[in-house]
Amino acid sequence: MAKMVNYNRQGYKTPMPVLDPAERAHTFAEVSLGYNAERAVNEARRCIQCNSRPCVAGCPVGVPVREFVGHIARRDFPAAYAAVKDANALPAICGRVCPQESQCEGVCMRGRKGEAVGIGRLERFIADWAEEHPDEAARALAERRAAHLAARADAAGAAADAEEITPLGGKAVPVIPPGTDLSAFRVAVVGSGPASLTCAGELAKAGASVTVFEALHAVGGVLTYGIPEFRLPKSLVAREVAAIEELGVTFEVNAVVGKLFDIDELMGERGFDAVFVATGAGLPSYLGIEGEGLNGVCVANELLTRVNLMRAYEYPEYETPVFAGQRCVVVGGGNVAMDAARTARRLGADVTVVYRRSREEMPARREEIRHAEEEGIRFATLTNPVRLIGDDAGWLTGVEVVDMELGEPDDSGRRRPHEVAGSNHVISCDMFVISIGNKTNPLIAQTTPGLDTTPRNLIVVDEETCATSVPGVFAGGDAVSGAATVILAMGAGKRAAAGIAAYLNPEGPAAGLAEAEVAGLELVAEEAVVEAEAAEEAAPSGVPAEERAAVDEEAALAAALVAAGIAPDVAARAAAAALIEGAKG
Amino acid sequence: MYPIESVEALNDEVTRMVVRAPDIARKIRPGQFIMLRIDERGERIPLTMNDCDPEAGTVTIVFQAVGATTMRLATLKAGDALLDFVGPLGNPTELEGARRACVVGGGLGTAIAYPQAKWLRDHGCEVDVITGFRTADLIIMEDEIEAVASRSIVMTDDGSNGNKGVVTEPLQRWIDEGAGYDLVLAVGPVIMMKFVAKTTEPHGIRTLVSLNPLMIDGTGMCGGCRVKVGGEYLHACVDGPDFDGHLVDYDDAMRRGVMYRGYEGSAREAMAKRLASEARDCDVAAGLRAADGGACGAAGDGGRARRAARGRITLDAATEAQLAAMEPEKAKKVRAALEAKAAREAAAAAAERAERAGAGQSAADADDASAARAAGAGGAAGAGRAARLARADEGRGE
């Protein structure tokens, strides 16, 4: 990879145009408008093409970030698209909804001083570019895949081929080895969210006959019923799904596995050789406070399902209505809470988000919090609801809240909030949305004998292969991890696809992969030494020596952690965090 | 798509529909429900199974046209199809082990209580059945129930069938007479189930009630169907729909039931107008179709318009004779003009009636949509019925 010597020293992300906040409070049109080619190239040139490429380790599906950003910087958009799409089945979606700040961008070297490279924005740009240039994009992808196959013919080629997706000192996200032929096998995928779509796409590329079973009438899982139109247009989800259909994947909607047929029947009379279960985390949690049954109170899932899946915002054109209050209080601090708040705002409510910790601890993406604020949504942090108040007819009139203060860190590392005695007060509202997380649906666990689950109904799997305790049954996504992110689910889908391929076809090119992987790691290790020396001479002119030293130190630390048995992505983050802490201290 | 095999009006408000869904027919058990969506713009609505035939691959549903969706559903015919039909959802009713049971159905609830009574009878349980309706005209499934029940009684609010009173009266009487029930199952309006449970509670009889709250996805996700049972919120879709009748907080259920009532009212009115208007469009289109041999609604909104105009306009014999005497080209034009005129007139008449009915005029007016029927505009007749139904009371029972 050519070094980016004359890189763009702009310290901040190239701004991405957004819809005017005043306008967007009343429309479900997409908020962020995306980069044009000039802005994209400008942003891509901010990447210094560093050796350590922590961004790759920061990506759960192993997108070769450094490579694709480099291609954009050189205006080679087809190559950039091929690089992204080869690793990530849903780039247009990930570019919009991934929590980049805690993944690729969170570990970006440019982020040490100033802002990280806008990797998410670039991913979105290149996916949208491909939509406008389908032929060029398809050709580039085909060429890349052919090149992969050719390179894999010998160990050295395979190692070189794997370099960009292999984090320094780490290990690539497992993929189905190129050349694997699964055309003799049928795989059932339960659920059609991001984990399933990824897994189905990967398996279909290797020739497997894949059927996806979806309980609802629309495919996409949380992408369809959960994430609102203004953040992720449904036409875009339909487009990505269509691309997976083109690979030969069949979708069966209105099929509730566990009710219509269970896993045994899928593997038995319906003749599937393996099953991937990714049923998500769909059961809402409640606060358990007085008044949750009042009219005007709902969980975020209900609001979002009505609006997104059933398109209630187009009522009465679409026949599902949605209750919209004048004054709405949303409790929670995650992305779902932001989605609910911004949805209620668009339905005409005056919205306040109530969160029991401080703003810094909100798990939502920074961009969503900022967008919510711009749209006029108020935040009452360090505030916790204790009781919902209603009138005689059972309609909500207000919520009693109490102020909180932060104490010692808890298990999650966040400071545990405590109530401030005597600080109770009432916020008047006629709509209250509970958005404090989701649990997993126990249906599959209950109807599949021998399937090991945790006390919280999470399916227990082998971390590497996603295999469950039942032979031939694999699982991933929120059903395994508990409510998490789209991209982590996709990472699991990808690992599961590799696991399923190895299970179905143990004699296949999988055997060769181990060697290639070892060779790749050795090469990376040697290269690290060589490149560290070379870097001294050809140092990118704008990066101060201490920063380069920090990068190398971090890589060494990450490698040590990996050697000690820590997962590569965790290690990379931990190493980065340690150094940032060190710099601060 | 899920084809509709047959449609039968059980009375002015209640329709029985047989839908082809072989996978569901093999699995569904009494007490379980399905969710359906008529078309892309429709709502998802839950309906409890009334009957199923695994061999024929069909599931029977019974519904009362009380809301916009059920009104529209009532206008569909055999040969039409539903876009979505998903199930079986919820848990089967726990009927095993009962030796002596009483099944209580209120209004439409009777249709859901029937398969339970039948199942119990088929599994060696002696079953009494009590049903209740607003008035004698609304009584449904009387024969089917008599066939499975050891004894049965039908109560009406107005006494129009000779049995004035509420369902708890015979229930109390039979319990007092020593029927020795080990299970009472109640399906109907929440208020009815509340009083059935109150009646059985002092006797410690296991009592199951079937709750039918607001529901959106039906798979446990949205929390819309939460019901307070034994002090905690459970989801009717995955934990129910049957619950221990002595633990259900009925007042909470009734309160939550009104959450969307305002929307339901306006949606009903809008649907009555829409169906009337579609019928009008279709009548005009039927005339045009007759003129050029094309299909009505080809450029319009999907199948409803086509269905509504399936019939043809017929001209009287004298006119036909005159047409036969004309040159073929001229006859064709004249016929088209005549048919279009007849269609317009019929449509206008039907629409007027539908609107009058929608505005709360007498049901008899709307019922007499004969002009529309003469014009073959099934949609207009459907609209008349729909508009009439728009006035029907809410709730799935009386």
Side-chain angles (χ1 to χ4, degrees):
Chain A
M1 187 57 55
K3 285 278 166 288
M4 188 61 66
V5 177
N6 292 314
Y7 77 101
N8 176 0
R9 296 181 194 186
Q10 178 185 303
Y12 53 89
K13 279 184 198 172
T14 307
M16 178 162 65
V18 292
L19 217 55
D20 179 63
E23 185 188 338
R24 71 190 194 227
H26 307 289
T27 170
F28 279 81
E30 190 173 14
V31 167
S32 299
L33 302 175
Y35 281 157
N36 59 15
E38 296 323 308
R39 283 177 191 269
V41 170
N42 186 63
E43 182 61 20
R45 289 188 55 248
R46 293 186 60 233
C47 170
I48 60 168
Q49 297 284 309
C50 63
N51 285 327
S52 57
R53 51 186 184 281
C55 43
V56 179
C59 177
V61 297
V63 167
V65 177
R66 180 179 72 171
E67 181 191 352
F68 100 81
V69 172
H71 288 314
I72 296 179
R74 287 187 298 280
R75 302 191 76 99
D76 187 352
F77 300 146
Y81 170 73
V84 174
K85 182 73 180 179
D86 200 25
N88 181 348
L90 313 168
I93 292 170
C94 292
R96 285 167 169 84
V97 304
C98 266
Q100 289 100 2
E101 64 254 32
S102 59
Q103 294 175 340
C104 52
E105 294 180 19
V107 292
C108 173
M109 204 177 109
R110 284 302 306 261
R112 305 281 171 77
K113 203 172 183 182
E115 291 181 357
V117 175
I119 298 165
R121 296 171 177 196
L122 291 171
E123 184 178 32
R124 172 189 165 142
F125 162 78
I126 205 66
D128 291 351
W129 173 89
E131 172 63 11
E132 284 163 28
H133 304 83
D135 296 339
E136 277 175 79
R139 201 179 317 125
L141 187 58
E143 279 169 12
R144 183 182 176 89
R145 287 186 178 149
H148 268 320
L149 267 179
R152 292 271 167 167
D154 65 280
D161 184 54
E163 190 206 328
E164 278 300 329
I165 56 165
T166 307
L168 198 63
K171 192 172 154 201
V173 175
V175 291
I176 300 177
T180 303
D181 179 16
L182 299 178
S183 57
F185 303 104
R186 298 182 67 220
V187 181
V189 173
V190 184
S192 68
S196 294
L197 292 177
T198 306
C199 184
E202 294 286 316
L203 289 167
K205 277 192 276 181
S209 160
V210 184
T211 304
V212 177
F213 296 94
E214 165 58 47
L216 295 174
H217 59 253
V219 171
V222 73
L223 305 172
T224 297
Y225 71 75
I227 303 176
E229 178 79 16
F230 56 80
R231 199 147 77 80
L232 178 64
K234 299 307 151 212
S235 57
L236 203 142
V237 178
R239 191 173 93 201
E240 301 278 32
V241 169
I244 288 167
E245 246 173 335
E246 261 172 43
L247 294 171
V249 174
T250 308
F251 289 91
E252 273 192 32
V253 294
N254 295 327
V256 188
V257 174
K259 290 280 188 191
L260 198 57
F261 18 77
D262 53 36
I263 301 286
D264 276 355
E265 284 168 290
L266 288 177
M267 305 270 289
E269 63 195 69
R270 289 185 69 109
F272 288 99
D273 301 295
V275 179
F276 177 59
V277 178
T279 44
L283 288 185
S285 297
Y286 295 98
L287 291 162
I289 61 175
E290 183 189 330
E292 281 183 301
L294 290 167
N295 288 339
V297 179
C298 69
V299 294
N301 291 6
E302 177 177 350
L303 176 68
L304 295 173
T305 304
R306 283 180 184 271
V307 171
N308 301 331
L309 178 70
M310 305 309 298
R311 299 179 67 162
Y313 65 95
E314 294 187 66
Y315 178 84
E317 234 1 67
Y318 282 74
E319 290 168 6
T320 305
V322 59
F323 173 82
Q326 302 286 308
R327 300 198 58 187
C328 173
V329 169
V330 176
V331 58
N335 285 319
V336 178
M338 295 306 115
D339 287 345
R342 297 172 71 195
T343 296
R345 177 84 185 104
R346 282 162 173 75
L347 295 172
D350 183 51
V351 184
T352 303
V353 172
V354 165
Y355 181 58
R356 65 194 184 120
R357 301 179 196 253
S358 68
R359 170 173 308 225
E360 287 63 45
E361 279 130 338
M362 278 191 167
R365 293 175 79 206
R366 297 297 107 176
E367 188 176 272
E368 309 308 328
I369 299 173
R370 199 182 67 239
H371 283 163
E373 253 171 345
E374 287 169 4
E375 288 161 16
I377 289 161
R378 280 188 300 275
F379 287 82
T381 51
L382 290 169
T383 305
N384 203 31
V386 291
R387 182 170 71 101
L388 293 159
I389 305 160
D391 62 18
D392 293 341
W395 287 83
L396 178 74
T397 58
V399 52
E400 182 180 325
V401 297
V402 61
D403 291 345
M404 307 294 279
E405 60 189 3
L406 294 178
E408 293 302 304
D410 63 11
D411 297 346
S412 70
R414 297 183 297 180
R415 294 171 67 193
R416 187 190 295 277
H418 298 285
E419 289 189 3
V420 178
S423 63
N424 297 40
H425 57 282
V426 172
I427 304 176
S428 77
C429 60
D430 56 359
M431 179 180 185
F432 185 82
V433 185
I434 303 163
S435 179
I436 55 163
N438 285 301
K439 298 171 288 192
T440 52
N441 192 314
L443 188 55
I444 296 283
Q446 283 168 358
T447 55
T448 310
L451 188 69
D452 285 353
T453 55
T454 71
R456 287 169 57 213
N457 275 322
L458 301 175
I459 301 172
V460 178
V461 299
D462 177 280
E463 251 179 59
E464 196 61 21
T465 63
C466 293
T468 69
S469 54
V470 178
V473 178
F474 296 74
D478 285 3
V480 167
S481 62
T485 61
V486 167
I487 190 70
L488 286 172
M490 291 178 60
K494 206 166 172 176
R495 277 200 308 280
I500 290 169
Y503 166 79
L504 293 176
N505 194 15
E507 307 301 317
L513 179 72
E515 284 169 34
E517 221 164 33
V518 171
L521 284 175
E522 280 169 4
L523 194 81
V524 165
E526 286 164 17
E527 224 181 33
V529 179
V530 177
E531 288 198 3
E533 288 165 7
E536 288 299 322
E537 295 159 27
S541 49
V543 183
E546 67 267 24
E547 278 195 33
R548 274 184 283 122
V551 171
D552 293 341
E553 192 183 338
E554 186 193 314
L557 185 52
L561 287 170
V562 169
I566 311 276
D569 53 336
V570 177
R573 277 200 291 275
L579 281 163
I580 289 165
E581 279 309 304
K584 279 187 194 154
Chain B
M1 299 291 276
Y2 301 82
I4 296 169
E5 305 245 306
S6 71
V7 179
E8 177 193 356
L10 295 185
N11 63 34
D12 269 1
E13 296 176 4
V14 176
T15 306
R16 171 153 57 195
M17 185 178 272
V18 178
V19 180
R20 197 170 159 66
D23 287 337
I24 301 175
R26 272 193 298 145
K27 282 289 174 75
I28 198 161
R29 299 286 173 270
Q32 288 188 301
F33 65 96
I34 55 90
M35 291 204 79
L36 65 80
R37 202 168 64 129
I38 298 175
D39 59 23
E40 192 51 44
R41 296 179 171 229
E43 282 185 281
R44 288 171 72 93
I45 60 160
L47 289 171
T48 307
M49 183 265 281
N50 166 254
D51 206 352
C52 68
D53 185 339
E55 260 104 74
T58 57
V59 175
T60 306
I61 50 174
V62 173
F63 58 91
Q64 187 170 15
V66 289
T69 300
T70 41
M71 278 164 68
R72 194 141 74 80
L73 198 57
T75 66
L76 301 184
K77 295 173 189 56
D80 292 340
L82 302 172
L83 180 60
D84 298 303
F85 198 77
V86 56
L89 298 170
N91 303 302
T93 311
E94 287 170 20
L95 300 170
E96 287 82 3
R99 310 309 312 161
R100 186 79 182 92
C102 185
V103 172
V104 184
L108 183 70
T110 303
I112 300 154
Y114 164 71
Q116 327 261 16
K118 188 175 160 208
W119 190 97
L120 286 165
R121 202 275 315 262
D122 292 346
H123 289 76
C125 175
E126 198 182 330
V127 191
D128 294 341
V129 180
I130 304 168
T131 54
F133 300 89
R134 252 194 342 267
T135 180
D137 290 347
L138 300 178
I139 295 172
I140 55 171
M141 310 201 71
E142 210 174 358
D143 297 340
E144 287 101 320
I145 283 169
E146 261 178 29
V148 298
S150 303
R151 55 178 163 173
S152 64
I153 185 166
V154 182
M155 308 299 291
T156 48
D157 292 351
D158 63 359
S160 51
N161 74 333
N163 271 337
K164 187 174 164 67
V166 292
V167 293
T168 45
E169 290 168 19
L171 177 63
Q172 184 71 59
R173 192 166 67 239
W174 290 350
I175 291 173
D176 291 344
E177 288 169 11
Y181 298 129
D182 53 13
L183 171 69
V184 169
L185 179 78
V187 192
V190 176
I191 187 82
M192 183 206 87
M193 296 190 284
K194 175 180 176 176
F195 283 100
V196 167
K198 270 196 170 177
T199 307
T200 60
E201 196 164 19
H203 305 278
I205 303 168
R206 183 164 87 101
T207 301
L208 292 175
V209 297
S210 175
L211 298 182
N212 188 18
L214 288 175
M215 214 174 260
I216 300 121
D217 68 289
T219 62
M221 198 173 74
C222 75
C225 68
R226 62 190 188 277
V227 287
K228 205 170 193 177
V229 181
E232 62 170 330
Y233 277 105
L234 298 177
H235 293 158
C237 65
V238 290
D239 301 315
D242 301 315
F243 295 97
D244 182 336
H246 299 143
L247 295 180
V248 171
D249 183 337
Y250 296 97
D251 297 335
D252 186 80
M254 281 186 269
R255 205 169 56 219
R256 285 184 55 73
V258 303
M259 171 91 193
Y260 273 87
R261 194 150 285 183
Y263 290 91
E264 286 158 10
S266 58
R268 253 195 327 272
E269 271 170 41
M271 182 58 69
K273 282 193 183 141
R274 173 172 151 193
L275 291 174
S277 155
E278 276 175 11
R280 234 178 355 249
D281 293 348
C282 270
D283 287 341
V284 173
L288 297 176
R289 179 186 65 154
D292 62 19
C296 162
D301 173 31
R304 275 194 305 281
R306 277 194 295 282
R307 282 193 297 277
R310 200 167 279 150
R312 286 192 55 125
I313 291 175
T314 49
L315 302 171
D316 62 44
T319 313
E320 288 289 358
Q322 284 179 13
L323 285 172
M326 291 180 192
E327 287 169 36
E329 275 306 299
K330 190 181 174 193
K332 195 174 160 193
K333 282 181 190 162
V334 173
R335 178 189 293 277
L338 286 171
E339 285 179 343
K341 181 165 169 276
R344 269 196 303 278
E345 285 168 5
E352 195 185 320
R353 285 190 177 82
E355 270 163 26
R356 270 214 312 271
Q361 295 248 334
S362 95
D365 262 10
D367 197 24
D368 180 23
S370 54
R373 287 206 193 91
R385 185 165 180 240
R388 193 168 72 251
L389 295 172
R391 302 183 307 109
D393 288 343
E394 297 198 32
R396 70 179 176 179
E398 298 122 315

